[in-house]
């Protein structure tokens, strides 16, 4: 029993050593924050299991660490990573609940920790809304898990009625009509936390959905709500962040459509394109590179986002889900209209004004190369259509 838990002990001991070393060293001025960030990244590489989905989450967290500039934020990001890593391998209801709430707690604390300036009150208010709504949904799920255990005497996910797991996951993903908390958070939290919230939790939830949990419920209604609200709700939004918040809701609807019709290979393809686009979207100030990311997110050819969406539509047609396919095509056309606003803004507006909208540091060679690569990766994505 002890040997089977050696990995968990190693994980906890390593995290405690990082905390003690960072607190004493930073206080006495022996090391800089960049050195601690490097140690945290090395710790992630050493403790990650040898599985593809775990390394994908590890590499994403390593990239996200570059955007946080306080030791406390790095620690909470690592704690959130631990919750996400364990949730990928959750096999019963208790571990699922604990890992999910660990991520929620880290997001709420980071909202208050990173709030600065005039937006502090709005960030804390949005975090409290998210905390209260999340506590309500998780509390109902925990009550249902307790009732299931009382009735069956088992906490295993296999063979249990798992509707509340589906409901909790849809809430955490920000699926419509449970999306209002995500719009508030997107409009008020700092850019680094926005980047984390739009990538890592979605990767962990969808990976758990693909590897550890299976259900017989249809999510067609949530797909329709997400795509319609995500495409129509962005109209009239004065802030660029709110526009991309509704764009994210639309993208979540497309990812659920991939789960419903195409399968998890198509899901991972489009999810990978979406995560790379989000990483670039909030780390670029050059308006033309930003424009490439926005056009790829809109799904215009010949960029990578077009082929990710086209493959989902192809599979939806192959399984004869024509109603969902028609709604997805309509919402995609509607969303192109407000993306034209972004294209006009960042093509006409001078560079320094466009940069003020993004609020990001100067682009590096790596981010610029990745943004340009969005125009060339479709060459590798055409293969499924040829086959």
């Amino acid at each position: 029993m002890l040997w089977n838990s050696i990995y968990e002990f190693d994980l906890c001991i390593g995290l405690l050593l990082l905390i003690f070393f960072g607190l004493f060293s930073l206080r006495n001025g022996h090391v800089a924050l960049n050195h601690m960030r490097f140690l945290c990244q090395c710790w992630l590489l050493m403790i990650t299991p040898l599985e593809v989905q775990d390394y994908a989450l590890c590499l994403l967290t390593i990239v996200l660490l570059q955007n946080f500039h306080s030791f406390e934020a790095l620690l909470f990001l690592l704690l959130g990573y631990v919750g996400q890593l364990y949730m990928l391998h959750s096999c019963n209801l208790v571990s699922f609940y604990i890992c999910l709430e660990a991520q929620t707690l880290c997001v709420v604390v980071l909202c208050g920790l990173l709030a600065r300036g005039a937006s502090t009150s709005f960030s804390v208010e949005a975090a409290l809304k998210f905390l209260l709504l999340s506590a309500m949904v998780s509390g109902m799920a925990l009550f249902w898990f307790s009732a299931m255990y009382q009735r069956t005497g088992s906490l295993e996910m296999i063979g249990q009625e798992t509707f509340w797991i589906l409901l909790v996951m849809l809430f955490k993903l920000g699926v419509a009509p449970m999306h209002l908390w995500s719009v508030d958070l997107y409009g008020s939290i700092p850019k680094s936390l926005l980047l984390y919230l739009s990538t890592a939790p979605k990767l962990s939830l969808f990976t758990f959905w693909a590897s550890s949990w299976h259900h017989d419920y249809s999510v067609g209604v949530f797909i329709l709500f997400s795509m319609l609200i995500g495409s129509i709700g962005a109209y009239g939004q004065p802030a660029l962040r709110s526009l991309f918040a509704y764009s994210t809701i639309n993208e979540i609807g497309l990812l659920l459509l991939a789960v419903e019709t195409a399968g998890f290979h198509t899901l991972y393809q489009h999810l990978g394109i979406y995560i790379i686009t989000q990483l670039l979207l909030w780390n670029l100030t050059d308006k033309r590179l930003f424009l490439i990311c926005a056009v790829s997110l809109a799904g215009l050819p010949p960029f990578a986002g077009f082929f990710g969406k086209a493959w989902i539509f192809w599979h939806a047609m192959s399984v004869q889900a024509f109603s969902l396919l028609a709604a997805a095509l309509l919402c995609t056309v509607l969303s192109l209209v407000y993306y034209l606003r972004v294209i006009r803004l960042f093509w006409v507006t001078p560079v320094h004004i466009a940069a003020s909208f993004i609020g990001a540091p100067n682009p590096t060679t790596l981010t610029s190369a990745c943004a340009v690569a969005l125009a060339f990766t479709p060459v590798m994505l055409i293969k499924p259509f040829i086959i």
Side-chain angles (χ1 to χ4, degrees):
M1 185 68 179
L2 181 62
W3 177 256
N4 294 331
S5 303
I6 191 66
Y7 173 73
E8 286 78 7
F9 281 118
D10 183 44
L11 185 67
C12 296
I13 292 173
L15 187 57
L16 287 175
L17 290 177
L18 275 178
I19 293 174
F20 288 132
F21 178 75
L23 289 176
F24 287 106
S25 300
L26 290 173
R27 181 181 300 174
N28 297 326
H30 297 312
V31 298
L33 182 63
N34 290 332
H35 300 153
M36 284 306 306
R37 184 182 291 111
F38 176 74
L39 288 177
C40 292
Q41 292 170 342
C42 293
W43 177 76
L44 288 173
L45 288 174
M46 288 188 295
I47 59 95
T48 303
L50 297 176
E51 295 187 18
V52 176
Q53 63 268 24
D54 299 328
Y55 269 114
L57 183 62
C58 173
L59 293 177
L60 177 59
T61 308
I62 289 174
V63 174
L64 292 172
L65 283 172
Q66 299 293 331
N67 294 273
F68 292 84
H69 305 289
S70 67
F71 179 63
E72 293 82 2
L74 296 180
L75 288 181
F76 279 104
L77 190 67
L78 292 180
L79 289 174
Y81 168 78
V82 171
Q84 293 159 5
L85 182 64
Y86 279 115
M87 194 178 70
L88 298 185
H89 306 282
S90 296
C91 57
N92 60 63
L93 301 176
V94 174
S95 61
F96 168 77
Y97 175 80
I98 293 175
C99 295
L100 200 63
E101 291 309 301
Q103 300 178 54
T104 302
L105 178 63
C106 292
V107 171
V108 172
V109 175
L110 285 173
C111 284
L113 185 65
L114 301 178
R116 295 290 185 272
S119 63
T120 301
S121 59
F122 296 102
S123 180
V124 173
E125 180 183 358
L128 287 177
K129 288 181 181 178
F130 173 59
L131 177 62
L132 293 175
L133 291 173
S134 178
M136 181 185 68
V137 175
S138 301
M140 290 188 295
L142 186 61
F143 173 78
W144 185 252
F145 295 163
S146 302
M148 290 172 58
Y149 178 73
Q150 183 180 13
R151 186 174 67 253
T152 63
S154 174
L155 289 172
E156 300 297 325
M157 293 184 183
I158 301 175
Q160 300 277 21
E161 299 176 7
T162 54
F163 174 74
W164 279 106
I165 296 181
L166 177 64
L167 185 63
V168 171
M169 290 181 62
L170 293 177
F171 174 82
K172 299 294 183 179
L173 289 170
V175 175
M178 301 175 288
H179 66 285
L180 295 178
W181 67 265
S182 62
V183 178
D184 291 337
L185 279 181
Y186 268 65
S188 58
I189 60 178
K191 178 188 67 68
S192 57
L193 186 56
L194 172 62
L195 183 60
Y196 168 74
L197 190 63
S198 60
T199 53
K202 292 176 175 55
L203 177 61
S204 63
L205 285 169
F206 277 117
T207 304
F208 166 77
W209 197 334
S211 59
S212 302
W213 179 63
H214 304 282
H215 66 96
D216 298 326
Y217 298 100
S218 175
V219 293
V221 176
F222 297 101
I223 294 172
L224 291 175
F225 269 110
S226 299
M227 291 189 297
L228 287 173
I229 294 178
S231 58
I232 298 175
Y235 287 94
Q237 295 295 328
L240 191 64
R241 286 189 173 204
S242 299
L243 188 148
F244 280 110
Y246 282 101
S247 173
T248 300
I249 297 170
N250 188 20
E251 292 296 321
I252 295 298
L254 286 173
L255 292 172
L256 290 178
L257 179 60
V259 174
E260 185 81 3
T261 61
F264 291 105
H265 293 291
T266 304
L267 167 71
Y268 283 132
Q269 174 179 299
H270 190 64
L271 181 61
I273 295 172
Y274 167 77
I275 289 176
I276 293 173
T277 306
Q278 289 293 320
L279 289 174
L280 298 171
L281 198 64
W282 304 106
N283 281 284
L284 292 172
T285 55
D286 187 273
K287 64 175 185 178
R288 289 178 175 82
L289 296 179
F290 185 88
L291 184 61
I292 291 176
C293 296
V295 170
S296 177
L297 192 63
L300 289 176
F303 297 96
F306 166 77
F307 289 93
K309 292 182 179 181
W311 202 6
I312 295 176
F313 297 158
W314 176 270
H315 282 280
M317 183 178 63
S318 64
V319 298
Q320 298 182 355
F322 296 116
S323 58
L324 293 177
L325 177 61
L329 291 174
L330 175 62
C331 294
T332 301
V333 173
L334 291 176
S335 63
L336 288 178
V337 178
Y338 62 77
Y339 276 113
L340 292 176
R341 173 190 170 193
V342 178
I343 294 173
R344 179 189 60 82
L345 176 66
F346 286 93
W347 188 260
V348 178
T349 309
V351 177
H352 66 279
I353 298 180
S356 66
F357 275 97
I358 308 171
N362 291 328
T364 62
T365 304
L366 178 61
T367 55
S368 301
C370 291
V372 175
L374 287 175
F376 297 98
T377 49
V379 176
M380 295 177 286
L381 301 177
I382 299 176
K383 182 179 178 181
F385 296 99
I386 298 177
I387 294 178

